[in-house]
Short mmCIF file of all heavy atoms in Angstrom, two decimals:
data_model
loop_
_atom_site.label_atom_id
_atom_site.label_comp_id
_atom_site.label_asym_id
_atom_site.label_seq_id
_atom_site.Cartn_x
_atom_site.Cartn_y
_atom_site.Cartn_z
N MET A 20 -3.55 -9.84 -0.40
CA MET A 20 -4.22 -8.41 -0.38
C MET A 20 -3.68 -7.65 0.83
O MET A 20 -3.80 -7.86 2.00
CB MET A 20 -5.72 -8.64 -0.16
CG MET A 20 -6.53 -7.50 0.16
SD MET A 20 -8.23 -7.78 0.07
CE MET A 20 -8.58 -8.69 1.54
N LYS A 21 -2.99 -6.70 0.48
CA LYS A 21 -2.18 -5.78 1.41
C LYS A 21 -3.26 -4.66 1.88
O LYS A 21 -3.96 -4.23 0.98
CB LYS A 21 -0.94 -5.10 0.83
CG LYS A 21 0.14 -5.85 0.73
CD LYS A 21 1.38 -5.07 0.13
CE LYS A 21 2.58 -5.93 -0.01
NZ LYS A 21 3.73 -5.10 -0.43
N LYS A 22 -3.25 -4.31 3.12
CA LYS A 22 -4.01 -3.28 3.54
C LYS A 22 -3.57 -1.80 3.20
O LYS A 22 -2.33 -1.66 3.24
CB LYS A 22 -4.14 -3.35 5.07
CG LYS A 22 -4.79 -4.69 5.51
CD LYS A 22 -4.94 -4.90 6.98
CE LYS A 22 -5.55 -6.08 7.32
NZ LYS A 22 -5.87 -6.37 8.75
N ASN A 23 -4.34 -1.04 2.50
CA ASN A 23 -3.86 0.23 2.11
C ASN A 23 -4.77 1.39 2.65
O ASN A 23 -4.78 2.41 2.17
CB ASN A 23 -3.81 0.22 0.64
CG ASN A 23 -5.13 -0.06 -0.01
OD1 ASN A 23 -6.22 -0.22 0.57
ND2 ASN A 23 -5.13 -0.12 -1.30
N ILE A 24 -5.49 1.07 3.75
CA ILE A 24 -6.33 2.16 4.39
C ILE A 24 -5.96 2.29 5.87
O ILE A 24 -5.74 1.25 6.50
CB ILE A 24 -7.90 1.74 4.18
CG1 ILE A 24 -8.22 1.82 2.70
CG2 ILE A 24 -8.67 2.87 5.01
CD1 ILE A 24 -9.59 1.40 2.46
N ASN A 25 -5.70 3.59 6.27
CA ASN A 25 -5.39 3.74 7.61
C ASN A 25 -6.56 3.87 8.46
O ASN A 25 -7.63 3.85 7.99
CB ASN A 25 -4.38 4.82 7.86
CG ASN A 25 -5.03 6.24 7.47
OD1 ASN A 25 -6.29 6.37 7.22
ND2 ASN A 25 -4.25 7.35 7.64
N GLY A 26 -6.44 4.04 9.76
CA GLY A 26 -7.55 4.19 10.73
C GLY A 26 -8.43 5.24 10.46
O GLY A 26 -9.69 5.07 10.52
N ILE A 27 -7.90 6.45 10.26
CA ILE A 27 -8.70 7.57 10.05
C ILE A 27 -9.48 7.39 8.73
O ILE A 27 -10.79 7.80 8.71
CB ILE A 27 -7.84 8.91 9.99
CG1 ILE A 27 -7.23 9.14 11.31
CG2 ILE A 27 -8.69 10.04 9.53
CD1 ILE A 27 -6.20 10.21 11.33
N ASP A 28 -8.95 6.86 7.69
CA ASP A 28 -9.57 6.76 6.42
C ASP A 28 -10.76 5.80 6.57
O ASP A 28 -11.89 5.87 6.13
CB ASP A 28 -8.64 6.26 5.35
CG ASP A 28 -9.22 6.39 3.92
OD1 ASP A 28 -10.28 6.69 3.80
OD2 ASP A 28 -8.38 5.84 3.03
N ALA A 29 -10.42 4.64 7.35
CA ALA A 29 -11.46 3.61 7.50
C ALA A 29 -12.66 4.17 8.45
O ALA A 29 -13.78 3.82 8.17
CB ALA A 29 -10.88 2.41 8.32
N PHE A 30 -12.40 5.06 9.40
CA PHE A 30 -13.41 5.65 10.19
C PHE A 30 -14.38 6.50 9.33
O PHE A 30 -15.46 6.57 9.49
CB PHE A 30 -12.79 6.33 11.35
CG PHE A 30 -13.74 7.00 12.37
CD1 PHE A 30 -14.46 6.24 13.15
CD2 PHE A 30 -13.95 8.38 12.31
CE1 PHE A 30 -15.47 6.75 14.08
CE2 PHE A 30 -14.95 8.97 13.05
CZ PHE A 30 -15.58 8.11 14.04
N ILE A 31 -13.72 7.29 8.57
CA ILE A 31 -14.50 8.20 7.65
C ILE A 31 -15.39 7.47 6.66
O ILE A 31 -16.53 7.74 6.46
CB ILE A 31 -13.58 9.21 6.86
CG1 ILE A 31 -12.89 10.14 7.87
CG2 ILE A 31 -14.32 9.97 5.75
CD1 ILE A 31 -11.88 11.00 7.20
N ARG A 32 -14.79 6.39 6.15
CA ARG A 32 -15.57 5.51 5.20
C ARG A 32 -16.73 4.83 6.02
O ARG A 32 -17.89 4.72 5.47
CB ARG A 32 -14.69 4.44 4.73
CG ARG A 32 -13.76 4.86 3.59
CD ARG A 32 -12.77 3.78 3.19
NE ARG A 32 -11.84 4.28 2.28
CZ ARG A 32 -11.97 4.01 0.92
NH1 ARG A 32 -12.92 3.30 0.48
NH2 ARG A 32 -11.05 4.52 0.06
N LEU A 33 -16.42 4.45 7.25
CA LEU A 33 -17.60 3.79 8.12
C LEU A 33 -18.67 4.82 8.30
O LEU A 33 -19.78 4.53 8.20
CB LEU A 33 -16.88 3.23 9.40
CG LEU A 33 -17.86 2.52 10.36
CD1 LEU A 33 -18.20 1.22 9.53
CD2 LEU A 33 -17.21 2.38 11.57
N ILE A 34 -18.28 6.00 8.63
CA ILE A 34 -19.24 7.07 9.10
C ILE A 34 -20.00 7.34 7.85
O ILE A 34 -21.41 7.48 7.83
CB ILE A 34 -18.72 8.28 9.64
CG1 ILE A 34 -18.05 8.00 10.94
CG2 ILE A 34 -19.79 9.48 9.82
CD1 ILE A 34 -19.02 7.46 12.03
N LEU A 35 -19.51 7.55 6.59
CA LEU A 35 -20.09 7.76 5.37
C LEU A 35 -21.08 6.77 4.86
O LEU A 35 -22.22 7.01 4.59
CB LEU A 35 -19.09 8.11 4.30
CG LEU A 35 -18.42 9.53 4.28
CD1 LEU A 35 -17.40 9.61 3.27
CD2 LEU A 35 -19.53 10.63 4.12
N GLY A 36 -20.62 5.50 5.13
CA GLY A 36 -21.47 4.38 4.74
C GLY A 36 -22.63 4.22 5.61
O GLY A 36 -23.82 3.98 5.10
N ILE A 37 -22.48 4.49 6.95
CA ILE A 37 -23.60 4.44 7.78
C ILE A 37 -24.65 5.55 7.60
O ILE A 37 -25.84 5.37 7.46
CB ILE A 37 -23.22 4.50 9.31
CG1 ILE A 37 -22.44 3.07 9.67
CG2 ILE A 37 -24.37 4.56 10.22
CD1 ILE A 37 -21.76 3.14 10.97
N THR A 38 -24.05 6.81 7.29
CA THR A 38 -24.93 7.93 6.99
C THR A 38 -25.66 7.70 5.70
O THR A 38 -26.99 7.87 5.66
CB THR A 38 -24.14 9.21 6.92
OG1 THR A 38 -23.38 9.32 8.02
CG2 THR A 38 -24.89 10.31 6.54
N ILE A 39 -25.12 7.18 4.68
CA ILE A 39 -25.84 6.95 3.39
C ILE A 39 -26.81 5.93 3.64
O ILE A 39 -28.02 5.97 3.09
CB ILE A 39 -24.75 6.59 2.27
CG1 ILE A 39 -23.96 7.82 1.91
CG2 ILE A 39 -25.53 6.15 1.01
CD1 ILE A 39 -22.76 7.52 0.96
N GLY A 40 -26.46 4.82 4.32
CA GLY A 40 -27.46 3.72 4.63
C GLY A 40 -28.62 4.30 5.34
O GLY A 40 -29.89 3.89 5.08
N PHE A 41 -28.39 5.27 6.28
CA PHE A 41 -29.53 5.88 7.07
C PHE A 41 -30.44 6.66 6.21
O PHE A 41 -31.59 6.55 6.23
CB PHE A 41 -28.97 6.71 8.30
CG PHE A 41 -30.15 7.39 9.04
CD1 PHE A 41 -30.77 6.60 9.91
CD2 PHE A 41 -30.33 8.67 8.90
CE1 PHE A 41 -31.84 7.22 10.62
CE2 PHE A 41 -31.32 9.29 9.67
CZ PHE A 41 -32.05 8.56 10.45
N LEU A 42 -29.80 7.42 5.33
CA LEU A 42 -30.61 8.21 4.36
C LEU A 42 -31.41 7.35 3.34
O LEU A 42 -32.66 7.73 3.12
CB LEU A 42 -29.66 9.01 3.43
CG LEU A 42 -29.04 10.24 4.33
CD1 LEU A 42 -28.05 10.91 3.38
CD2 LEU A 42 -30.01 11.11 4.84
N ILE A 43 -30.91 6.09 2.99
CA ILE A 43 -31.72 5.23 2.25
C ILE A 43 -32.79 4.72 3.03
O ILE A 43 -33.98 4.59 2.51
CB ILE A 43 -30.74 4.06 1.67
CG1 ILE A 43 -29.74 4.76 0.70
CG2 ILE A 43 -31.52 3.08 1.04
CD1 ILE A 43 -28.64 3.71 0.40
N TYR A 44 -32.57 4.24 4.26
CA TYR A 44 -33.57 3.77 5.09
C TYR A 44 -34.81 4.76 5.25
O TYR A 44 -36.03 4.48 5.28
CB TYR A 44 -32.93 3.35 6.35
CG TYR A 44 -34.00 2.80 7.55
CD1 TYR A 44 -34.61 1.52 7.37
CD2 TYR A 44 -34.40 3.66 8.63
CE1 TYR A 44 -35.50 1.08 8.10
CE2 TYR A 44 -35.27 3.24 9.44
CZ TYR A 44 -35.83 1.90 9.31
OH TYR A 44 -36.75 1.44 10.27
N MET A 45 -34.37 6.11 5.39
CA MET A 45 -35.44 7.09 5.69
C MET A 45 -35.96 7.54 4.33
O MET A 45 -36.87 8.44 4.42
CB MET A 45 -34.78 8.34 6.42
CG MET A 45 -34.20 8.00 7.67
SD MET A 45 -35.49 7.26 8.91
CE MET A 45 -36.53 8.71 9.11
N ASN A 46 -35.77 6.91 3.22
CA ASN A 46 -36.33 7.13 1.87
C ASN A 46 -36.07 8.62 1.46
O ASN A 46 -36.92 9.33 0.93
CB ASN A 46 -37.79 6.92 1.85
CG ASN A 46 -38.25 5.50 1.89
OD1 ASN A 46 -37.48 4.67 1.27
ND2 ASN A 46 -39.30 5.15 2.45
N PHE A 47 -34.85 9.02 1.65
CA PHE A 47 -34.44 10.39 1.36
C PHE A 47 -34.25 10.47 -0.24
O PHE A 47 -34.65 11.55 -0.76
CB PHE A 47 -33.00 10.69 1.95
CG PHE A 47 -32.58 12.15 1.72
CD1 PHE A 47 -33.13 13.28 2.42
CD2 PHE A 47 -31.58 12.41 0.78
CE1 PHE A 47 -32.71 14.55 2.11
CE2 PHE A 47 -31.05 13.70 0.50
CZ PHE A 47 -31.71 14.69 1.23
N PHE A 48 -33.95 9.47 -0.75
CA PHE A 48 -33.75 9.38 -2.29
C PHE A 48 -34.91 8.72 -2.85
O PHE A 48 -35.36 7.63 -2.58
CB PHE A 48 -32.38 8.64 -2.69
CG PHE A 48 -31.22 9.05 -2.01
CD1 PHE A 48 -30.68 8.37 -0.91
CD2 PHE A 48 -30.56 10.29 -2.37
CE1 PHE A 48 -29.45 8.79 -0.31
CE2 PHE A 48 -29.48 10.67 -1.73
CZ PHE A 48 -28.88 10.13 -0.73
N LYS A 49 -35.56 9.51 -3.70
CA LYS A 49 -36.90 9.12 -4.38
C LYS A 49 -36.78 8.28 -5.57
O LYS A 49 -37.50 7.38 -5.87
CB LYS A 49 -37.78 10.24 -4.54
CG LYS A 49 -38.11 11.08 -3.46
CD LYS A 49 -38.94 10.32 -2.38
CE LYS A 49 -39.17 11.22 -1.11
NZ LYS A 49 -39.53 10.60 -0.02
N ASP A 50 -35.74 8.59 -6.40
CA ASP A 50 -35.45 7.89 -7.65
C ASP A 50 -34.79 6.38 -7.45
O ASP A 50 -33.88 6.27 -6.53
CB ASP A 50 -34.47 8.68 -8.53
CG ASP A 50 -34.32 8.20 -9.85
OD1 ASP A 50 -35.19 7.25 -10.36
OD2 ASP A 50 -33.49 8.55 -10.65
N SER A 51 -35.35 5.48 -8.09
CA SER A 51 -34.83 4.00 -7.78
C SER A 51 -33.50 3.88 -8.33
O SER A 51 -32.67 3.05 -7.59
CB SER A 51 -35.78 3.04 -8.33
OG SER A 51 -35.88 3.17 -9.75
N LEU A 52 -33.01 4.45 -9.38
CA LEU A 52 -31.74 4.42 -9.86
C LEU A 52 -30.82 4.94 -8.88
O LEU A 52 -29.67 4.29 -8.62
CB LEU A 52 -31.51 5.02 -11.32
CG LEU A 52 -30.16 5.05 -11.88
CD1 LEU A 52 -29.68 3.59 -12.08
CD2 LEU A 52 -30.13 5.84 -13.11
N ILE A 53 -30.99 6.21 -8.35
CA ILE A 53 -30.15 6.80 -7.46
C ILE A 53 -29.99 5.89 -6.20
O ILE A 53 -28.95 5.80 -5.48
CB ILE A 53 -30.58 8.25 -7.23
CG1 ILE A 53 -30.40 8.99 -8.41
CG2 ILE A 53 -29.79 8.98 -6.05
CD1 ILE A 53 -30.94 10.46 -8.38
N THR A 54 -31.11 5.35 -5.73
CA THR A 54 -31.16 4.56 -4.55
C THR A 54 -30.38 3.48 -4.75
O THR A 54 -29.57 2.97 -3.85
CB THR A 54 -32.67 4.20 -4.14
OG1 THR A 54 -33.53 5.37 -3.99
CG2 THR A 54 -32.66 3.45 -2.93
N ASN A 55 -30.35 2.74 -5.90
CA ASN A 55 -29.48 1.49 -6.14
C ASN A 55 -28.16 1.88 -6.04
O ASN A 55 -27.18 1.15 -5.54
CB ASN A 55 -29.91 0.86 -7.44
CG ASN A 55 -31.27 0.21 -7.34
OD1 ASN A 55 -31.76 -0.14 -6.31
ND2 ASN A 55 -31.91 0.04 -8.49
N LEU A 56 -27.72 3.09 -6.71
CA LEU A 56 -26.34 3.47 -6.81
C LEU A 56 -25.74 3.85 -5.29
O LEU A 56 -24.72 3.53 -4.97
CB LEU A 56 -26.10 4.75 -7.58
CG LEU A 56 -26.26 4.41 -9.11
CD1 LEU A 56 -26.33 5.69 -9.83
CD2 LEU A 56 -25.36 3.49 -9.55
N GLU A 57 -26.72 4.38 -4.48
CA GLU A 57 -26.33 4.83 -3.18
C GLU A 57 -26.21 3.56 -2.19
O GLU A 57 -25.38 3.51 -1.36
CB GLU A 57 -27.46 5.65 -2.56
CG GLU A 57 -27.56 7.09 -3.16
CD GLU A 57 -26.30 7.88 -2.93
OE1 GLU A 57 -25.61 7.73 -1.98
OE2 GLU A 57 -25.92 8.68 -3.86
N ILE A 58 -27.07 2.55 -2.58
CA ILE A 58 -26.92 1.28 -1.80
C ILE A 58 -25.54 0.71 -2.15
O ILE A 58 -24.86 0.10 -1.30
CB ILE A 58 -28.01 0.23 -2.12
CG1 ILE A 58 -29.29 0.81 -1.55
CG2 ILE A 58 -27.68 -1.20 -1.68
CD1 ILE A 58 -30.47 0.01 -2.07
N ALA A 59 -25.09 0.59 -3.35
CA ALA A 59 -23.91 0.05 -3.87
C ALA A 59 -22.76 0.78 -3.24
O ALA A 59 -21.80 0.23 -2.73
CB ALA A 59 -23.77 0.09 -5.42
N LEU A 60 -22.79 2.11 -3.22
CA LEU A 60 -21.83 3.09 -2.61
C LEU A 60 -21.59 2.73 -1.06
O LEU A 60 -20.59 2.66 -0.53
CB LEU A 60 -22.02 4.45 -2.75
CG LEU A 60 -21.09 5.45 -2.25
CD1 LEU A 60 -19.66 5.27 -2.83
CD2 LEU A 60 -21.52 6.94 -2.44
N SER A 61 -22.75 2.68 -0.47
CA SER A 61 -22.79 2.41 1.06
C SER A 61 -22.03 1.09 1.30
O SER A 61 -21.28 0.88 2.27
CB SER A 61 -24.20 2.43 1.48
OG SER A 61 -24.26 2.10 2.93
N ILE A 62 -22.48 -0.03 0.57
CA ILE A 62 -21.89 -1.27 0.85
C ILE A 62 -20.31 -1.26 0.54
O ILE A 62 -19.64 -1.88 1.19
CB ILE A 62 -22.59 -2.46 -0.10
CG1 ILE A 62 -24.01 -2.56 0.46
CG2 ILE A 62 -21.82 -3.68 -0.03
CD1 ILE A 62 -24.90 -3.53 -0.46
N PHE A 63 -20.03 -0.68 -0.56
CA PHE A 63 -18.51 -0.39 -0.86
C PHE A 63 -17.84 0.21 0.27
O PHE A 63 -16.72 -0.22 0.82
CB PHE A 63 -18.41 0.28 -2.09
CG PHE A 63 -16.89 0.42 -2.56
CD1 PHE A 63 -16.18 -0.69 -3.11
CD2 PHE A 63 -16.37 1.67 -2.36
CE1 PHE A 63 -14.83 -0.46 -3.49
CE2 PHE A 63 -15.09 1.99 -2.72
CZ PHE A 63 -14.35 0.80 -3.27
N LEU A 64 -18.36 1.32 0.77
CA LEU A 64 -17.68 2.07 1.87
C LEU A 64 -17.61 1.29 3.11
O LEU A 64 -16.52 1.23 3.75
CB LEU A 64 -18.35 3.40 2.05
CG LEU A 64 -18.22 4.52 1.04
CD1 LEU A 64 -19.23 5.58 1.31
CD2 LEU A 64 -16.83 4.86 0.96
N LEU A 65 -18.63 0.57 3.49
CA LEU A 65 -18.62 -0.24 4.75
C LEU A 65 -17.68 -1.39 4.44
O LEU A 65 -16.82 -1.65 5.50
CB LEU A 65 -20.10 -0.66 4.95
CG LEU A 65 -21.08 0.36 5.47
CD1 LEU A 65 -22.48 -0.28 5.57
CD2 LEU A 65 -20.69 0.89 6.74
N ALA A 66 -17.67 -2.09 3.38
CA ALA A 66 -16.71 -3.25 3.16
C ALA A 66 -15.48 -2.84 3.24
O ALA A 66 -14.46 -3.49 3.93
CB ALA A 66 -17.14 -3.87 1.87
N THR A 67 -15.04 -1.73 2.55
CA THR A 67 -13.54 -1.31 2.47
C THR A 67 -13.22 -0.76 3.89
O THR A 67 -11.89 -1.00 4.18
CB THR A 67 -13.37 -0.29 1.33
OG1 THR A 67 -14.24 0.85 1.68
CG2 THR A 67 -13.56 -0.85 0.04
N SER A 68 -14.03 -0.23 4.70
CA SER A 68 -13.60 0.17 5.99
C SER A 68 -13.32 -0.92 6.90
O SER A 68 -12.50 -1.00 7.81
CB SER A 68 -14.65 1.22 6.57
OG SER A 68 -15.81 0.43 6.93
N LEU A 69 -14.05 -2.04 6.79
CA LEU A 69 -13.93 -3.16 7.65
C LEU A 69 -12.73 -4.05 7.25
O LEU A 69 -12.02 -4.54 8.09
CB LEU A 69 -15.23 -4.08 7.66
CG LEU A 69 -16.41 -3.38 8.33
CD1 LEU A 69 -17.67 -4.23 7.98
CD2 LEU A 69 -16.21 -3.00 9.70
N VAL A 70 -12.47 -4.14 5.81
CA VAL A 70 -11.33 -5.03 5.41
C VAL A 70 -9.98 -4.19 5.34
O VAL A 70 -8.86 -4.66 5.35
CB VAL A 70 -11.74 -5.54 3.99
CG1 VAL A 70 -10.57 -6.36 3.41
CG2 VAL A 70 -12.99 -6.40 4.11
N ARG A 71 -10.25 -2.93 5.25
CA ARG A 71 -9.13 -1.89 5.23
C ARG A 71 -8.19 -2.18 3.94
O ARG A 71 -7.05 -2.00 3.84
CB ARG A 71 -8.13 -2.09 6.45
CG ARG A 71 -8.91 -1.51 7.68
CD ARG A 71 -7.86 -1.08 8.66
NE ARG A 71 -8.42 -0.45 9.74
CZ ARG A 71 -8.04 0.17 10.65
NH1 ARG A 71 -6.71 0.40 10.73
NH2 ARG A 71 -8.71 0.73 11.68
N PHE A 72 -8.92 -2.47 2.90
CA PHE A 72 -8.39 -2.65 1.54
C PHE A 72 -9.35 -2.06 0.54
O PHE A 72 -10.51 -2.34 0.45
CB PHE A 72 -8.05 -4.08 1.06
CG PHE A 72 -7.67 -4.30 -0.31
CD1 PHE A 72 -6.32 -3.92 -0.51
CD2 PHE A 72 -8.39 -4.71 -1.24
CE1 PHE A 72 -5.87 -4.07 -1.87
CE2 PHE A 72 -8.07 -4.85 -2.52
CZ PHE A 72 -6.81 -4.58 -2.86
N CYS A 73 -8.77 -1.13 -0.31
CA CYS A 73 -9.62 -0.46 -1.36
C CYS A 73 -9.06 -0.84 -2.51
O CYS A 73 -7.93 -0.43 -2.97
CB CYS A 73 -9.57 1.02 -1.17
SG CYS A 73 -10.58 1.87 -2.29
N PRO A 74 -9.76 -1.52 -3.53
CA PRO A 74 -9.24 -1.86 -4.83
C PRO A 74 -8.97 -0.65 -5.68
O PRO A 74 -7.98 -0.71 -6.46
CB PRO A 74 -10.28 -2.67 -5.45
CG PRO A 74 -11.52 -2.82 -4.44
CD PRO A 74 -11.08 -2.12 -3.31
N LEU A 75 -9.65 0.40 -5.56
CA LEU A 75 -9.37 1.57 -6.34
C LEU A 75 -8.06 2.29 -5.92
O LEU A 75 -7.38 2.63 -6.81
CB LEU A 75 -10.53 2.56 -6.05
CG LEU A 75 -10.53 3.76 -7.01
CD1 LEU A 75 -10.50 3.57 -8.41
CD2 LEU A 75 -11.75 4.78 -6.57
N TYR A 76 -7.90 2.25 -4.61
CA TYR A 76 -6.50 2.67 -4.15
C TYR A 76 -5.49 1.86 -4.79
O TYR A 76 -4.34 2.44 -5.04
CB TYR A 76 -6.43 2.66 -2.58
CG TYR A 76 -7.02 3.90 -1.84
CD1 TYR A 76 -7.79 4.81 -2.51
CD2 TYR A 76 -6.86 3.91 -0.50
CE1 TYR A 76 -8.31 5.79 -1.84
CE2 TYR A 76 -7.35 5.00 0.12
CZ TYR A 76 -8.16 6.03 -0.40
OH TYR A 76 -8.64 7.01 0.21
N SER A 77 -5.60 0.59 -4.76
CA SER A 77 -4.58 -0.34 -5.33
C SER A 77 -4.26 -0.06 -6.82
O SER A 77 -3.20 -0.10 -7.29
CB SER A 77 -5.01 -1.74 -5.09
OG SER A 77 -4.08 -2.66 -5.54
N PHE A 78 -5.49 0.17 -7.49
CA PHE A 78 -5.25 0.44 -8.97
C PHE A 78 -4.61 1.80 -9.25
O PHE A 78 -3.81 1.88 -10.14
CB PHE A 78 -6.73 0.53 -9.51
CG PHE A 78 -6.77 0.76 -11.12
CD1 PHE A 78 -6.30 -0.11 -11.99
CD2 PHE A 78 -7.17 2.00 -11.41
CE1 PHE A 78 -6.33 0.17 -13.39
CE2 PHE A 78 -7.14 2.28 -12.85
CZ PHE A 78 -6.81 1.40 -13.72
N LEU A 79 -4.82 2.76 -8.42
CA LEU A 79 -4.24 4.16 -8.58
C LEU A 79 -3.00 4.14 -7.92
O LEU A 79 -2.12 5.21 -7.93
CB LEU A 79 -5.12 5.09 -8.08
CG LEU A 79 -6.50 5.26 -8.78
CD1 LEU A 79 -7.37 6.38 -8.00
CD2 LEU A 79 -6.25 5.70 -10.20
N GLY A 80 -2.50 3.25 -7.12
CA GLY A 80 -1.18 3.22 -6.44
C GLY A 80 -1.29 4.18 -5.20
O GLY A 80 -0.16 4.59 -4.75
N VAL A 81 -2.43 4.32 -4.65
CA VAL A 81 -2.53 5.19 -3.28
C VAL A 81 -2.45 4.23 -2.11
O VAL A 81 -2.89 3.16 -2.19
CB VAL A 81 -3.85 5.88 -3.34
CG1 VAL A 81 -3.99 6.75 -2.05
CG2 VAL A 81 -3.77 6.67 -4.67
N ASN A 82 -1.74 4.73 -1.11
CA ASN A 82 -1.65 4.05 0.21
C ASN A 82 -1.66 5.05 1.37
O ASN A 82 -0.79 5.82 1.34
CB ASN A 82 -0.37 3.15 0.12
CG ASN A 82 -0.33 2.17 1.34
OD1 ASN A 82 -1.14 2.23 2.31
ND2 ASN A 82 0.51 1.27 1.28
N THR A 83 -2.71 4.93 2.07
CA THR A 83 -2.82 6.02 3.19
C THR A 83 -2.22 5.49 4.46
O THR A 83 -2.15 6.10 5.55
CB THR A 83 -4.38 6.36 3.41
OG1 THR A 83 -5.02 5.15 3.82
CG2 THR A 83 -4.85 6.99 2.20
N LYS A 84 -1.80 4.14 4.63
CA LYS A 84 -1.06 3.69 5.85
C LYS A 84 0.26 4.21 6.03
O LYS A 84 1.06 4.46 4.93
CB LYS A 84 -1.14 2.19 5.76
CG LYS A 84 -2.42 1.55 5.85
CD LYS A 84 -2.35 0.03 6.01
CE LYS A 84 -1.85 -0.34 7.34
NZ LYS A 84 -2.74 -0.22 8.43
N LYS A 85 0.59 4.56 7.07
CA LYS A 85 1.86 5.05 7.43
C LYS A 85 2.83 3.93 7.53
O LYS A 85 2.38 2.71 7.63
CB LYS A 85 1.93 5.77 8.68
CG LYS A 85 1.17 7.04 8.83
CD LYS A 85 1.24 7.74 10.16
CE LYS A 85 0.28 8.99 10.09
NZ LYS A 85 0.13 9.65 11.38
N LYS A 86 4.13 4.12 7.37
CA LYS A 86 5.14 3.01 7.21
C LYS A 86 5.10 2.12 8.60
O LYS A 86 5.25 1.02 8.48
CB LYS A 86 6.59 3.48 6.95
CG LYS A 86 6.60 4.09 5.66
CD LYS A 86 8.20 4.43 5.38
CE LYS A 86 8.37 4.82 4.03
NZ LYS A 86 9.66 4.77 3.40
N LYS A 87 4.99 2.77 9.72
CA LYS A 87 4.97 2.03 10.86
C LYS A 87 3.68 1.19 10.98
O LYS A 87 3.65 0.15 11.84
CB LYS A 87 5.05 2.88 12.18
CG LYS A 87 3.92 3.74 12.47
CD LYS A 87 4.14 4.64 13.72
CE LYS A 87 2.90 5.34 14.09
NZ LYS A 87 3.04 6.01 15.31
N ASP A 88 2.58 1.50 10.29
CA ASP A 88 1.33 0.85 10.37
C ASP A 88 1.27 -0.43 9.34
O ASP A 88 0.39 -1.12 9.29
CB ASP A 88 0.25 1.78 10.11
CG ASP A 88 -0.10 2.72 11.17
OD1 ASP A 88 0.46 2.60 12.26
OD2 ASP A 88 -0.78 3.84 10.79
N ARG A 89 2.27 -0.45 8.56
CA ARG A 89 2.25 -1.46 7.41
C ARG A 89 2.83 -2.67 7.87
O ARG A 89 3.28 -3.57 7.00
CB ARG A 89 3.19 -0.91 6.26
CG ARG A 89 2.53 0.30 5.60
CD ARG A 89 3.31 0.76 4.35
NE ARG A 89 2.74 1.95 3.86
CZ ARG A 89 3.33 2.74 3.06
NH1 ARG A 89 4.51 2.33 2.60
NH2 ARG A 89 2.81 3.87 2.62
N MET A 90 2.90 -3.01 9.08
CA MET A 90 3.37 -4.25 9.57
C MET A 90 2.56 -5.49 9.23
O MET A 90 2.92 -6.58 9.05
CB MET A 90 3.45 -4.25 11.04
CG MET A 90 4.58 -3.18 11.50
SD MET A 90 4.67 -2.98 13.32
CE MET A 90 5.16 -4.53 13.89
N TYR A 91 1.26 -5.20 9.04
CA TYR A 91 0.32 -6.40 8.70
C TYR A 91 -0.48 -6.14 7.38
O TYR A 91 -0.40 -5.26 6.82
CB TYR A 91 -0.72 -6.63 9.78
CG TYR A 91 -1.34 -5.52 10.41
CD1 TYR A 91 -2.52 -4.84 9.71
CD2 TYR A 91 -0.82 -4.77 11.51
CE1 TYR A 91 -3.11 -3.88 10.31
CE2 TYR A 91 -1.55 -3.67 11.89
CZ TYR A 91 -2.56 -3.26 11.35
OH TYR A 91 -3.20 -2.14 11.86
#
């Protein structure tokens, strides 16, 4: 599994995942279906930011890492 997310992308995903998680915790979303989708999105964003690999990027052929960052 090659890493395909750079530091800025990972930071933005981390902030978005935490923000969505906070909104869920504060019961901002009243519908249970929307809440479940938001939980899944939050977990996906947090996991991809920590692992620095996005399966969707891999499927689409996107790589946000710079060449000098691709050492690992």
